[in-house]
Structures are given as C-alpha cells and as structure tokens.
C-alpha cells in the first residue's frame, strides 16, 4: 500500500485558503486579543508537561478550520497509520520507516530489546569502570566517530542532558577536517579512551577515514589485540565493521528501517547511554513514545505535531515565508538547531512529488536559530524590524535545573517579552520616530515545558520528527530519502582523484579546474 499522493494545491481547502489569505494578509491583527474572547486559550494545546500557545499567529478560527480540512484532504491520518504499521513508505529506497519502533515499549521487537540490553550492559560496565583499557585503567573519555545522523542527534542529546551526566567525557569527531581530529587527540590518553565508530552504512568516507586515523594513532601506543578493548562499532553493515577490525561482539547492530537522521533512539545512541546512563536513555525513549501515541491518536486540532505542521505550511505556502527560526531559552539546547536542520532540511528539501512530478509550490522550510537570550543580541533586530516574515518557535522551561532562580527568572522574562514585543510592536502607540516603529504582527509559537528532563527531551525531539513528516505528507513528497546528498559524494571522488594525481584536467568544469590548480600550487 502506497502513501496517498495528492497534490495539495488541487484540494478544495487549498483554494479556500488562497482566498482566505487574500482577505487577511494585510490585516493588523494585534488586537485579536481584545476582539476575540479567549483568544489565547482557543489557540493553546496542553499535553503532559507541554503547553503550546500558538495564539500569537496570523491566523483565525477560520484559518485553522481550513488547515485542518487540508490535513483531511491529503489523508494525513492514513499516512500516519501507514508509517506506524511499518509499511514501506520510504518508497524510493523500498524501506519501512520505523524509528518509532525503537521506542515502542508496548510491542517492542525482539531485536530492539536485545540491542537495548546489550547497550545497557556495556554502558554500565564503562560507567562503573568494570570495562578496562589495555593497561587495566578504567575509561575516562569516549569518542563518537560518525557524521550526519550518526553525530548530530547523539551530540545534541549528550549536551542537552549534561545535567544528568557522569564522569565520562564525550567527544564527537564528525568532520573529515584533520585539524579537528588532531585537536581532539591532544587531550586524549589511548589507555583510557573508548572509540565508538558509528555508521549505519559503514561506507561513509568521512567516518571511515577518521576511524582509520584514530586506530592508527591508537596503535602507535598499543598492540593490535588491544583494539577490541577500545573500539566498538554501531552499524547495519556488520561485515564492513568486522573488516575494519572490530569483532562481532563489539558491534551494536541497527536496522535498515532506521533512517540516519532518526537514529539517535537506536544503538547510535550508545554515546548518550554512556554519558547519562541507561535509565536516562530509556526515559528519553519513553518521552518519544508518549509523543508517538499522542501523534497517532489525538484529534488533529489538539495534536501538537499536526498543529505546528499546519501553521508552518500556512506561512510557507501562503505568506511565502522562506525560513523559520527556532530559539530555545536553554543553554543545554545549544545544539538543537543543527540537529533539527538535518532532520528537517534533509527530509523535506525535495522538489519532486510522490507521483514523480516536478513540484510547482514551495516545500521544505529553511530552519535556523540559536539559544535565547544570545539570539536577542545577534539577529533579533531583523525579526523585529526587518522586511522578512520569519515565524519563530520559542522553547522554554518553567524550572531551572540548577536552581539559579534569579538568572532563570530573567531568562524567562526575556522569553515572554520577546513574543509579546514581536506580536504587539508599537501598534497603537504614538511613536513619532519612524526608526523606532515596530510593525509587530510577527508570528511566534511558544512552547513552555515544565522541565528539561530526559523524558521531555524525548517528547520534544519526537514532536519535531512528526511535524516534519506531517509537512512532507501535505507537500506530497517523500520525506525519508535523501538522494540530494549523493551527487556531491560522487563528484568528490573525482576531485580527490584530481588532487591526488595532481591533475586538475581530470575535471571538466573550467572553474573547478582552476580552483584545483590554485590549490595544488
Ligand atoms: O549525508 C547523508 C547521510 O546518509 C545521512 O542521512 C546520514 O545520517 C549520514 O549520511 C551518515 O551515514 P552513515 O551513518 O551511513 O555513515
């Protein structure tokens, strides 16, 4: 059974939304809060520890109704069911998409259970020091070698859950930039370092090159038989990991139905497990599982991922907003945006629809952002007074983890102030100086979460995973493949051969030839 493949622009609701957009696009709607009774509560969804207020948006009850009709017309519900049932909805790669099965504690697949068990035992031994290095010392440092989905998720979560961490220092090597590898090695002692080589395919150039550099470095201090105590792998490709020199007992398997950018829940999360302990890792999975159930069963008008997806489509396709910002008011979420950039942009950066036709409407949003309050002193000027419309998600937490209430109150005062200022601007104020005028009406979603716990983080990540899937369904694209990254990889083989053979003539393009010539000088 295939995913429904309906061109959204041919639906009745899309046509109505176009007309509706014309009616409201120029309205200054700041005063909806005085005009509409219960505006804020009417546009709020409360779920577990999450409180989403989307009332500061350029939409009305009618907009919401039409957007919900759109979700019905493109058969979003059916698509969600197909994903959770494990249908091969990644059609261009002939695969099911089941990262949700990695956290399905009701009906957990045996292979998922056994991998989790293996991760638990291993991480416990590393944390409590039972696992010893080649000179009998316990492990102090872990290096995760992997790129893309084999890096961004674990790196983000390890940072986000630092508060729940232990004595282990976790490092990430993703970039093939040798300077980064060398810098990281400066602080490492081979006797007490564990390397986790993470690659679903075990064919990724950057990861294999870096893994070899690290193994060679290790072998300058240790003997070949010591490798098994210091190198483990995470991969679907067991044979390739063994060929690299890692024995099967040190390989943590993953399944083909787990996409790279959705893989932090799998054995790819081994570094997370070591950093915060298995119990916290399981809570992260539990939080995602809770969000999965919500996405599957909540009515669309109360469904957090669906609501966020529809609002995003509204701005992307009707207001023609090209980008969205995400600003988390928590330093722990410093790496959330780079992680979401891969999840969202690798998934929805597509221009061919599910029927194989070229698309003539906008898909994939560009996401960017950083943490608050730093962002306020960097690019918020443009959000407030620039010419571009940039819908922004604000994410904040009611409780401070370390109990520094004074700072936390100031942080959150800024969090609330910004969404209010962006919305209200200087509307209805007698501002004489045009440079000091703020138009307002800048849309924001406010996600207020009780506390940054492993469980809530799991729910937050899953919220964005499901949001991007819902958007992909509406846009009639395949969100789970990534053919767009392949061409660059192929061309890089040619450029490497031109560099290694010192022959820029191997390249066809004159500009590339000249650049390589200059580089070789
Ligand atoms: O860049 C493309 C990509 O396939 C990503 O989707 C993936 O996360 C990354 O490369 C790493 O792949 P692997 O885990 O197979 O090394």
């Amino acid at each position: 059974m295939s995913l429904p493949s309906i061109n959204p622009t041919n639906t009745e609701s899309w046509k109505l939304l176009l007309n509706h957009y014309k009616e409201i696009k120029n309205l200054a709607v700041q005063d909806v809060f005085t005009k509409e009774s219960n505006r804020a509560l009417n546009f709020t969804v409360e779920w577990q520890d999450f409180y989403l207020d989307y009332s500061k948006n350029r939409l009305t009850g009618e907009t919401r109704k039409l957007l919900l009709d759109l979700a019905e017309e493109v058969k979003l519900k059916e698509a969600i069911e197909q994903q959770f049932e494990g249908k091969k909805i990644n059609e261009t790669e002939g695969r099911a998409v089941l990262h949700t099965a990695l956290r399905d504690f009701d009906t957990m697949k045996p292979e998922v259970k056994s991998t989790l068990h293996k991760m638990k035992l291993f991480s416990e031994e590393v944390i409590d020091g039972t696992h010893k290095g080649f000179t009998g010392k316990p492990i102090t440092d872990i290096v995760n070698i992997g790129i893309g989905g084999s890096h961004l998720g674990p790196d983000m979560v390890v940072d986000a859950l630092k508060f729940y961490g232990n004595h282990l220092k976790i490092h990430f090597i993703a970039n093939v930039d040798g300077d980064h590898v060398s810098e990281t090695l400066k602080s490492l002692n081979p006797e007490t370092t564990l390397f986790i080589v993470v690659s679903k395919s075990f064919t990724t150039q950057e990861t294999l090159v870096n893994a070899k550099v690290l193994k060679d470095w290790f072998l300058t201090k240790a003997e070949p038989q010591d490798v098994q105590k210091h190198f483990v792998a995470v991969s679907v490709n067991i044979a390739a990991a063994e060929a690299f020199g890692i024995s099967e007992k040190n390989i943590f398997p993953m399944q083909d139905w787990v996409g790279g950018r959705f893989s932090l829940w799998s054995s790819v999360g081994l570094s997370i497990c070591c950093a915060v302990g298995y119990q916290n890792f399981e809570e992260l999975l539990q939080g995602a599982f809770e969000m999965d159930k919500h996405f599957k069963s909540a009515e669309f008008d109360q469904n957090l991922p669906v609501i966020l997806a529809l609002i995003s489509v509204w701005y992307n396709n009707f207001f023609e907003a090209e980008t969205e910002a995400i600003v988390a008011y928590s330093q722990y979420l410093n790496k959330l945006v780079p992680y979401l950039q891969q999840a969202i942009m690798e998934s929805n950066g597509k221009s061919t629809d599910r029927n194989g036709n070229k698309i003539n409407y906008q898909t994939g949003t560009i996401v960017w952002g950083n943490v608050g309050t730093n962002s306020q002193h960097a690019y918020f000027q443009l959000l407030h007074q620039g010419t571009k419309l940039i819908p922004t998600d604000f994410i904040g937490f009611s409780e401070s983890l370390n109990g520094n209430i004074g700072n936390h109150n100031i942080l959150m005062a800024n969090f609330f102030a910004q969404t209010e200022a962006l919305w209200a601007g200087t509307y209805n104020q007698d501002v004489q100086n045009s440079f000091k005028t703020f138009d307002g009406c800048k849309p924001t979603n406010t996600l207020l979460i009780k506390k940054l716990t492993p469980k809530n983080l799991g729910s937050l990540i899953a919220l964005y995973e499901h949001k991007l899937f819902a958007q992909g369904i509406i846009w009639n694209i395949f969100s789970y493949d990534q053919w767009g990254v392949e061409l660059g990889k192929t061309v890089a083989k040619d450029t490497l051969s031109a560099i290694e053979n010192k022959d820029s003539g191997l390249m066809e393009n004159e500009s590339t030839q000249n650049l390589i010539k200059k580089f070789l000088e």
Side-chain angles (χ1 to χ4, degrees), residues 146-151 198-204 207 254 259-261 263 268 342 346 482 485-486 489:
I147 198 163
S150 298
H151 157 235
V198 186
S199 176
K200 178 181 170 185
S201 60
F202 228 84
T203 59
T204 303
T207 303
M254 61 186 288
R261 54 193 175 275
S263 64
V268 169
Q342 189 207 11
E346 192 165 88
Q482 61 285 314
V485 293
E486 294 306 319
K489 291 183 191 171

Side-chain angles (χ1 to χ4, degrees), residues 155-436:
D155 194 6
M156 182 268 287
V157 174
V158 166
D159 232 43
L161 298 182
K162 208 181 258 169
F163 178 77
Y164 303 89
N166 50 40
H167 62 286
L168 293 169
K169 289 198 270 308
I170 317 287
H171 312 261
F172 289 88
I173 293 182
N175 201 337
V176 75
D177 182 348
D179 286 338
H180 178 61
V181 181
S182 302
E183 270 310 324
T184 310
L185 284 179
K186 281 180 191 168
S187 68
L188 295 176
N189 175 357
E191 294 172 53
T192 56
T193 302
L194 176 79
F195 299 94
I196 309 179
V197 187
V198 186
S199 176
K200 178 181 170 185
S201 60
F202 228 84
T203 59
T204 303
Q205 184 192 45
E206 293 92 332
T207 303
L208 296 190
V209 167
N210 282 336
K212 179 161 183 328
V213 169
L214 292 167
K215 196 169 126 193
D216 290 348
W217 172 82
F218 176 78
L219 287 173
T220 60
K221 320 276 187 229
E223 298 300 322
Q225 70 271 17
D226 300 329
V227 167
Q228 300 314 325
K229 290 187 174 136
H230 290 265
F231 281 78
V232 300
V234 170
S235 189
V236 168
N237 191 347
I238 309 289
E242 281 184 310
F244 176 80
I246 297 176
S247 69
E248 196 176 357
K249 74 172 183 18
N250 287 338
I251 301 173
F252 293 78
M254 61 186 288
Q255 283 72 36
D256 193 44
W257 38 257
V258 181
R261 54 193 175 275
F262 305 95
S263 64
L264 71 88
W265 322 100
S266 71
S267 47
V268 169
L270 185 60
S271 57
I272 305 174
C273 235
C274 293
V276 297
Y278 179 79
Q279 192 51 42
N280 284 318
F281 182 68
E282 196 173 296
E283 279 176 33
L284 180 84
L285 301 186
Q286 285 283 1
F289 181 44
E290 291 296 316
M291 183 55 78
D292 295 343
K293 289 187 276 185
H294 169 75
F295 181 51
K296 233 178 355 181
S297 63
E299 293 298 327
F300 281 174
D301 64 353
Q302 291 299 310
N303 193 309
L304 291 167
V306 173
I307 292 286
L308 289 181
L310 292 173
I311 295 172
S312 179
V313 167
W314 175 232
Y315 291 121
N316 185 64
N317 294 92
F318 297 90
F319 282 83
E320 295 179 359
E322 295 232 316
T323 78
E324 279 172 18
I326 299 170
V327 187
Y329 278 64
S330 165
Q331 193 59 35
Y332 287 119
L333 294 186
N334 198 19
K335 293 180 177 167
L336 180 66
V337 170
Y339 163 77
L340 288 176
Q341 283 177 326
Q342 189 207 11
I344 296 169
M345 290 161 75
E346 192 165 88
S347 299
N348 286 341
K350 312 281 165 68
S351 52
T352 303
D353 74 12
R354 288 199 289 272
N355 301 308
N357 299 323
K358 203 82 191 150
I359 283 171
N360 62 357
Y361 48 88
Q362 288 293 319
T363 63
T365 38
I366 299 163
V367 287
W368 58 282
N370 203 327
V371 290
T373 56
N374 304 18
S375 306
Q376 294 171 203
H377 297 271
Y379 54 79
F380 266 40
Q381 164 66 37
L382 190 143
L383 298 189
H384 282 284
Q385 287 187 313
T387 53
K388 293 180 172 59
L389 180 73
I390 302 170
T392 305
D393 286 356
F394 280 71
I395 302 168
F397 298 89
S398 298
E399 283 182 40
S400 141
L401 291 185
N402 291 285
N404 187 345
I405 306 296
N407 278 54
H408 193 65
N409 285 347
I410 296 170
L411 176 76
M412 294 308 284
N414 276 281
F415 174 79
F416 298 120
Q418 287 299 326
T419 64
E420 173 151 343
L422 283 162
W423 183 251
T426 49
Y427 179 73
N428 265 346
Q429 289 177 28
D430 186 20
V431 180
Q432 301 298 324
N433 183 338
S434 58
F435 296 105
K436 295 186 179 176

Side-chain angles (χ1 to χ4, degrees), residues 498-504 515-521:
I499 290 169
E500 287 180 344
N501 292 304
K502 299 195 181 354
D503 183 2
S504 60
L515 288 164
I516 292 178
K517 219 181 277 170
K518 192 80 195 154
F519 171 75
L520 290 171
E521 275 173 21

